[in-house]
């Protein structure tokens, strides 16, 4: 969409046109114009629905709910229909609320909002909303689930269900069943032309291949998917495919791909934070861990955590705690590490997550073994034992996963090491200068060189990375 200043009437017309197929990025690019419209001039059935979506993307879920309720105050004859549509945008719905809204739309002879099931994520099970929150609903309530999907997506509903169920099978470590189901589903999706569901299905197949040590096949699949996405101009899918490719590169040890993604394509949480970038943020946290930038990683984690909890996303929140535990262990923050892991295990046990742990391999295996040794009376012993066994398999396949690539190349001089150790004891530049019998400018020179060698921008990051590299002996 052309970036320029639009009139309120133009924004209303754009909302109507986009209603048939919501484009997150188009709305996001002109979000400030929608949000700047005064309340008394914002049409409840044209402008407010877009404002709800923008609030959801920014993680402001309470504001989104309040705006959605205001639609019912309109005297527009379509207001109730639009209200039920817009409520489906809000990810905090209970199962009963979700069914209530879809049932209200089931017998209405109007086109239902074309909100994407995956939101461009490489998952349907955990796409726009986290269906694992509803427990075994997906697995045991097929007809009930497909009925809801049919209201929203018509004939594509059964294909979507089958892909979501395959993801559920994988997550519960039924990998052969998941692969059999998804392999059968992909040709049907190619024939149907449903590129978004095909994208999620292909990404699952790719993940299973990676976890079976077939990286070369997974890399070829990335190329194949890229051509399909490009042909259909699905920018959202391409964006997340770049993140997925980076995640695979971390397993492979192709750090050049990781570096290029961080520099050119990774979402910037400081400039343009939006929940639509959640998958990219998860990959970026791994990159922060990989490069020893734990302060930056923890900053992003602390920003995401409350939003994921409020947004009823236990799968993402569990993953976040797993990554916190891995990062904390590497930074020698055992207390924080074990607290995060305990949370992750509690959630994982409740929702039957297995691969969420196992796919993190070697770095998580170290944490799990240390945790079990330090906490012999921790709950869910059998579950932890199972997790350790399947995580060990991944660790054997990818022993260098999340292993810092630059650790052996960093060589600090004696003076730099001495200054770094004094910094770790809380001394100021002036105190370091006095104790080392050098000028403060010389201290600043050494600090600058330390930052360059460790690839950091602050003393806190330098000390965090130094601990990871065991430089403060």
């Amino acid at each position: 969409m052309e970036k320029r200043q639009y009139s309120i009437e133009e924004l209303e017309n754009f909302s109507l046109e986009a209603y048939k197929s919501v484009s997150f990025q188009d709305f996001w690019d002109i979000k400030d114009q929608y949000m700047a419209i005064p309340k008394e001039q914002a049409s409840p059935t044209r402008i407010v629905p877009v404002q709800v979506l923008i609030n959801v993307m920014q993680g402001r879920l309470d504001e989104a709910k309040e705006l959605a309720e205001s639609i019912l105050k309109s005297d527009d004859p379509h207001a109730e229909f639009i209200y039920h549509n817009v409520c489906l945008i809000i990810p905090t719905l209970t199962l009963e609320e979700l069914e209530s809204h879809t049932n209200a739309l089931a017998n209405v002879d109007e086109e239902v909002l074309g909100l994407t099931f995956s939101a461009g994520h490489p998952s349907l099970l955990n796409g726009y909303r986290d269906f694992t929150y509803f427990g075994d609903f997906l697995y045991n309530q097929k007809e009930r689930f497909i009925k809801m999907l049919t209201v929203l997506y018509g004939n594509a509903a059964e294909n979507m269900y089958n892909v979501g169920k395959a993801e559920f099978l994988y997550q519960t470590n039924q990998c052969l069943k998941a692969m059999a189901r998804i392999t059968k589903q992909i040709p049907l999706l190619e024939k149907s032309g449903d590129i978004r569901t095909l994208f999620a299905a292909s990404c699952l197949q790719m993940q299973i291949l990676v976890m079976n040590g077939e990286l070369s096949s997974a890399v070829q699949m990335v190329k194949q998917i890229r051509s399909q996405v490009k042909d259909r101009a699905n920018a959202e899918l391409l964006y997340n495919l770049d993140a997925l490719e980076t995640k695979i590169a971390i397993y492979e040890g192709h750090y050049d791909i990781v570096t290029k993604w961080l520099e050119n394509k990774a979402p910037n949480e400081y400039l343009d934070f939006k929940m639509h970038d959640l998958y990219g943020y998860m990959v970026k946290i791994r990159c922060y861990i990989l490069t020893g930038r734990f302060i930056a990683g923890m900053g992003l984690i602390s920003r995401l955590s409350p939003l994921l909890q409020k947004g009823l996303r236990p799968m993402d929140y569990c993953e976040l705690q797993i990554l916190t535990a891995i990062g904390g262990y590497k930074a020698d923050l055992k207390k924080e590490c074990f607290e995060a892991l305990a949370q992750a295990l509690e959630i994982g046990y409740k929702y039957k997550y297995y691969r969420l742990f196992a796919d993190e391999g070697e770095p998580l295996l170290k944490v799990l073994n240390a945790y079990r040794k330090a906490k012999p009376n921790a709950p869910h012993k059998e579950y932890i034992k199972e997790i350790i066994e399947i995580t060990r398999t991944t660790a054997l396949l990818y022993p260098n996963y999340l292993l810092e690539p630059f650790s052996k190349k960093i060589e600090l001089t004696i003076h730099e090491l001495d200054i770094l150790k004094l910094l770790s004891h809380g001394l100021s530049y002036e105190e370091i200068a006095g104790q080392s019998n050098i000028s403060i400018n010389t201290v600043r020179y050494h600090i600058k060189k330390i930052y360059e060698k460790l690839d950091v921008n602050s003393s806190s990051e330098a000390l965090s990375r130094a601990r990871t590299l065991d430089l403060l002996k």
Side-chain angles (χ1 to χ4, degrees), residues 8 12 36-44 48 51:
I8 293 178
E12 288 180 349
I37 297 173
K39 186 176 181 180
E40 61 274 10
Q41 293 179 264
S43 165
V48 170
Q51 292 177 334

Side-chain angles (χ1 to χ4, degrees), residues 183-383:
T183 301
K184 181 180 178 181
Q185 201 64 38
I186 284 177
L188 299 176
L189 291 167
E190 289 175 336
K191 187 177 180 180
S192 72
D194 182 358
I195 186 61
R196 289 175 179 268
T197 306
L198 175 61
F199 178 69
S202 299
C203 290
L204 173 60
Q205 188 178 49
M206 203 181 332
Q207 183 69 14
I208 296 172
L209 288 171
V210 170
M211 289 302 117
N212 277 277
E214 299 179 43
L215 273 173
S216 58
S217 298
V219 171
Q220 287 302 313
M221 279 198 70
V222 170
K223 293 178 181 178
Q224 181 183 340
I225 297 170
R226 192 174 293 281
S227 65
Q228 292 172 328
V229 171
K230 186 177 181 182
D231 289 345
R232 293 167 175 78
N234 282 293
E236 292 170 357
L237 304 186
L238 187 61
Y239 180 79
N240 281 305
L241 184 60
D242 290 333
L244 179 60
E245 185 177 33
T246 302
K247 188 177 178 182
I248 292 173
I250 297 174
Y251 284 107
E252 286 186 291
H254 286 177
Y255 302 116
D256 54 329
I257 295 175
V258 175
T259 302
K260 287 178 182 177
W261 182 76
L262 280 172
E263 291 176 351
N264 303 313
K265 296 180 179 180
N268 189 329
E269 66 270 27
Y270 302 107
L271 295 180
D272 197 25
F273 182 85
K274 58 181 183 291
M275 290 303 291
H276 190 50
D277 287 337
L278 178 58
Y279 183 77
Y281 291 141
M282 290 297 195
V283 175
K284 193 171 187 181
I285 291 168
R286 288 174 173 84
C287 293
Y288 281 145
I289 293 172
L290 179 68
T291 55
R293 298 174 62 190
F294 300 121
I295 302 298
M298 289 307 299
L300 182 50
I301 286 170
S302 64
R303 190 166 186 180
L304 287 171
S305 287
L307 298 176
L308 296 179
Q309 288 180 293
K310 183 179 282 189
L312 306 184
R313 302 192 70 93
M315 193 171 184
D316 289 318
Y317 185 70
C318 183
E319 183 178 349
L320 212 59
Q321 296 309 308
I322 291 170
L323 295 176
T324 301
I326 292 172
Y329 189 81
K330 284 177 172 282
D332 200 27
L333 301 171
K334 296 290 173 62
K335 180 176 179 290
E336 292 81 355
C337 163
F338 289 161
E339 286 175 354
L341 184 61
Q343 280 195 64
L345 289 167
E346 197 64 43
I347 299 167
Y349 179 78
K350 178 179 179 179
Y351 293 103
K352 302 179 182 177
Y353 301 147
Y354 284 84
R355 297 305 317 184
L356 204 60
F357 293 86
D359 291 357
E360 296 307 316
E362 176 66 23
L364 184 60
L365 183 62
K366 290 179 180 177
V367 179
L368 286 165
N369 284 327
Y371 178 80
R372 188 162 65 166
K373 184 177 179 180
K375 310 281 185 179
N377 297 317
H380 315 310
K381 289 183 180 180
E382 283 303 310
Y383 176 68

Side-chain angles (χ1 to χ4, degrees), residues 11-284:
L11 292 173
E12 288 180 349
N13 290 333
F14 175 57
S15 300
L16 288 175
E17 286 297 317
Y19 198 78
K20 296 178 182 178
S21 180
V22 171
S23 170
F24 292 99
Q25 194 57 47
D26 280 348
F27 284 137
W28 186 259
D29 288 342
I30 53 174
K31 65 181 183 301
D32 293 337
Q33 295 185 46
Y34 273 104
M35 299 309 290
I37 297 173
K39 186 176 181 180
E40 61 274 10
Q41 293 179 264
S43 165
T45 55
R46 297 189 183 188
I47 297 299
V48 170
V50 178
Q51 292 177 334
V52 172
L53 176 61
I54 292 168
N55 272 289
V56 168
M57 292 173 74
Q58 292 177 324
R60 297 202 298 261
L61 301 181
D62 291 336
E63 291 88 337
K65 278 185 175 181
E66 186 177 338
L67 279 168
E69 293 298 327
S70 73
I71 295 172
L72 289 174
K73 298 175 182 178
S74 169
D75 55 7
D76 188 313
H78 300 284
E80 187 173 349
F81 169 77
I82 291 172
Y83 165 74
H84 289 298
N85 265 285
V86 169
C87 283
L88 293 173
I89 294 174
I90 301 171
T92 55
L93 298 180
T94 64
L95 179 57
E96 290 72 23
E97 289 170 331
L98 193 61
E99 285 191 296
S100 174
H101 290 301
T102 52
N103 287 339
L105 296 170
N107 300 315
V108 179
D109 190 22
E110 292 191 52
E111 191 162 10
V112 176
L113 179 66
L115 183 66
T116 61
F117 192 43
S118 66
H121 292 198
S123 173
L124 297 187
L125 184 67
N126 186 28
Y128 187 77
R129 68 177 75 249
D130 182 355
F131 281 99
T132 68
Y133 175 74
F134 302 133
D136 288 342
F137 171 64
L138 175 70
Y139 196 76
N140 296 324
Q141 302 283 335
K142 177 179 178 179
E143 298 305 321
R144 190 176 165 197
F145 193 72
I146 289 180
K147 181 182 176 182
M148 282 200 306
L149 292 180
T150 302
V151 174
L152 302 175
Y153 305 103
N155 294 332
E158 187 140 3
N159 285 338
M160 289 180 163
Y161 172 82
N162 285 328
V163 173
K165 186 169 181 179
E167 291 185 63
F168 179 87
L169 289 169
Y170 176 74
Q171 195 50 241
T172 53
N173 202 38
Q174 301 177 70
C175 300
L176 289 177
K177 287 183 179 180
M179 191 61 160
R181 181 175 287 266
I182 211 66
T183 301
K184 181 180 178 181
Q185 201 64 38
I186 284 177
L188 299 176
L189 291 167
E190 289 175 336
K191 187 177 180 180
S192 72
D194 182 358
I195 186 61
R196 289 175 179 268
T197 306
L198 175 61
F199 178 69
S202 299
C203 290
L204 173 60
Q205 188 178 49
M206 203 181 332
Q207 183 69 14
I208 296 172
L209 288 171
V210 170
M211 289 302 117
N212 277 277
E214 299 179 43
L215 273 173
S216 58
S217 298
V219 171
Q220 287 302 313
M221 279 198 70
V222 170
K223 293 178 181 178
Q224 181 183 340
I225 297 170
R226 192 174 293 281
S227 65
Q228 292 172 328
V229 171
K230 186 177 181 182
D231 289 345
R232 293 167 175 78
N234 282 293
E236 292 170 357
L237 304 186
L238 187 61
Y239 180 79
N240 281 305
L241 184 60
D242 290 333
L244 179 60
E245 185 177 33
T246 302
K247 188 177 178 182
I248 292 173
I250 297 174
Y251 284 107
E252 286 186 291
H254 286 177
Y255 302 116
D256 54 329
I257 295 175
V258 175
T259 302
K260 287 178 182 177
W261 182 76
L262 280 172
E263 291 176 351
N264 303 313
K265 296 180 179 180
N268 189 329
E269 66 270 27
Y270 302 107
L271 295 180
D272 197 25
F273 182 85
K274 58 181 183 291
M275 290 303 291
H276 190 50
D277 287 337
L278 178 58
Y279 183 77
Y281 291 141
M282 290 297 195
V283 175
K284 193 171 187 181

